Amino acid sequence: MPEVISQKNRRIVAAVWLLGFILIWEFVSFLLVKTLGPDTAATKLPYLHTVIATFAANWQPLLEAGGVTFSRAALGFFIGAGVGILLAVIMSLSKVAERIAFPYLIISQMIPVLGLAPIIFNIVRDMNASRIIIAAYITFFPVAVNMLSGLKSVEQDKKDLLYSIAASKFSVYRKLMFPFSMPYLFTGLKITAPMAVTASILVDMLGSSSGIGVKILYSLYSSSSDIFWASVLTSAFMGIISFHIVNLLEKLLLPWKRAAVRKEGDAS
C-alpha cells in the first residue's frame, strides 16, 4: 500500500522544494556572474530576484498576454476532453470501433506539434482558432486512452449484476462505468492541462499579435533577458495553475476518492 503523507508534511515538502529551487537558481546565476561577467551572465540566467522584480514592474502586460493564451488553451482543453471522452465511450461500446479507431489515434500522436501547428494555422488562418485546435489535439488522445482504460477496468460481474435487474446500458454507464472511470479520466486531464497551455504558447510564436508566446519571442529578438525569464515564469505558472484547477475539480467531483485516501492515511 502506498504511503500517504499528511497535509503538514506536504507543506514541508513544498517549502523545501521551493527553497531549494530558489537557492540553486541564485547560486548558478552567481557562478555565471563570476565566470562570464555581469553583462554576459544576465543574458544567460539573470538572478531570480531580478526576474521577480521585472515581473512586478510588468505584471499587467504579462498577465494580459498570459490571459489571452490561457483562455484559448482552456477552451481547446475542454473541447479535446469532450472529444476524448466521446471516443472512449464509443470504443468501449464496440470492439470493432476500437480496432478501427485506435491505430488512427496512435498515428495522430506521431505528428509533432511543432510541425502540425503551422499546418493548422495555414488552414484556418486564424490565430485564436489555431490555439484552440492545437490545445484540443494535445488533449484528446491521453483523455481517450485513460478514459477507455477506466471503462474497461470495470469488473464484468458488477455489470452482470446490473443487467440482471434489467438495467439499461445507459444506466450501467451512468451508475457504474462512468463513476468507476472518473479517476482514470482525471489522470489524463491532469497530464494534458499543462500540455494544452504549452501548445497554445507554441502557436503564439507563429506570428500572433498577442499572447505570452509573443512576449517570449519578442524578448528573445530584443535581447531583453529579464522580460524573457519573467515571461517564462508566467508560462510556468499558467501550467501549474491549470494542473491545480483540474486537481481541485477532481477533489470536488470525486469526494469518495478523497475519503479513500484519508482512510488509507488513518490506517497507515
Side-chain angles (χ1 to χ4, degrees):
M1 181 184 294
E3 185 181 357
V4 180
I5 63 174
S6 66
Q7 191 73 20
K8 180 183 175 184
N9 286 337
R10 284 183 199 160
R11 287 176 187 155
I12 292 173
V13 170
V16 171
W17 187 90
L18 180 62
L19 183 62
F21 173 77
I22 293 171
L23 290 176
I24 290 172
W25 185 318
E26 293 287 71
F27 180 67
V28 173
S29 299
F30 174 77
L31 288 180
L32 289 176
V33 169
K34 291 299 180 186
T35 54
L36 301 177
D39 294 336
T40 306
T43 63
K44 306 296 182 186
L45 185 67
Y47 283 112
L48 181 58
H49 65 267
T50 307
V51 175
I52 292 173
T54 304
F55 178 84
N58 299 274
W59 66 270
Q60 192 166 1
L62 285 171
L63 291 187
E64 286 175 356
V68 171
T69 303
F70 192 84
S71 60
R72 305 302 186 274
L75 183 55
F77 171 76
F78 284 115
I79 293 173
V83 172
I85 292 170
L86 181 62
L87 282 172
V89 172
I90 292 172
M91 288 190 289
S92 71
L93 287 169
S94 169
K95 284 284 183 189
V96 175
E98 181 184 352
R99 290 183 180 178
I100 292 173
F102 211 80
Y104 288 105
L105 294 180
I106 295 173
I107 291 171
S108 72
Q109 297 305 299
M110 294 179 181
I111 304 172
V113 176
L114 193 62
L116 186 63
I119 296 173
I120 297 294
F121 177 67
N122 284 328
I123 292 173
V124 300
R125 288 289 174 185
D126 184 279
M127 192 54 68
N128 287 330
S130 299
R131 290 190 187 103
I132 294 168
I133 292 171
I134 291 296
Y137 169 80
I138 288 290
T139 303
F140 90 95
F141 179 75
V143 170
V145 170
N146 280 277
M147 183 76 181
L148 181 62
S149 297
L151 293 172
K152 293 172 75 172
S153 298
V154 180
E155 291 90 345
Q156 187 62 41
D157 56 346
K158 293 180 180 175
K159 290 188 277 186
D160 292 340
L161 180 62
L162 286 176
Y163 285 129
S164 68
I165 57 173
S168 64
K169 186 159 278 188
F170 176 76
S171 295
V172 172
Y173 268 80
R174 183 170 63 87
K175 294 180 179 177
L176 174 63
M177 296 182 71
F178 281 142
F180 189 88
S181 59
M182 284 299 104
Y184 294 83
L185 170 63
F186 273 97
T187 299
L189 293 176
K190 282 189 278 190
I191 292 170
T192 54
M195 291 169 60
V197 174
T198 304
S200 190
I201 292 171
L202 177 64
V203 176
D204 286 347
M205 297 181 177
L206 295 179
S208 174
S209 59
S210 60
I212 197 66
V214 177
K215 291 281 183 188
I216 294 174
L217 199 61
Y218 284 179
S219 60
L220 278 175
Y221 284 142
S222 60
S223 300
S224 305
S225 60
D226 292 348
I227 291 289
F228 169 78
W229 282 103
S231 303
V232 170
L233 276 186
T234 305
S235 305
F237 279 124
M238 288 163 55
I240 293 169
I241 289 170
S242 66
F243 173 84
H244 282 290
I245 289 174
V246 176
N247 199 36
L248 178 63
L249 286 174
E250 183 184 27
K251 289 179 179 176
L252 293 175
L253 298 176
L254 308 182
W256 63 86
K257 185 181 176 186
R258 188 173 43 180
V261 171
R262 194 181 300 122
K263 190 175 178 181
E264 287 178 3
D266 294 339
S268 62

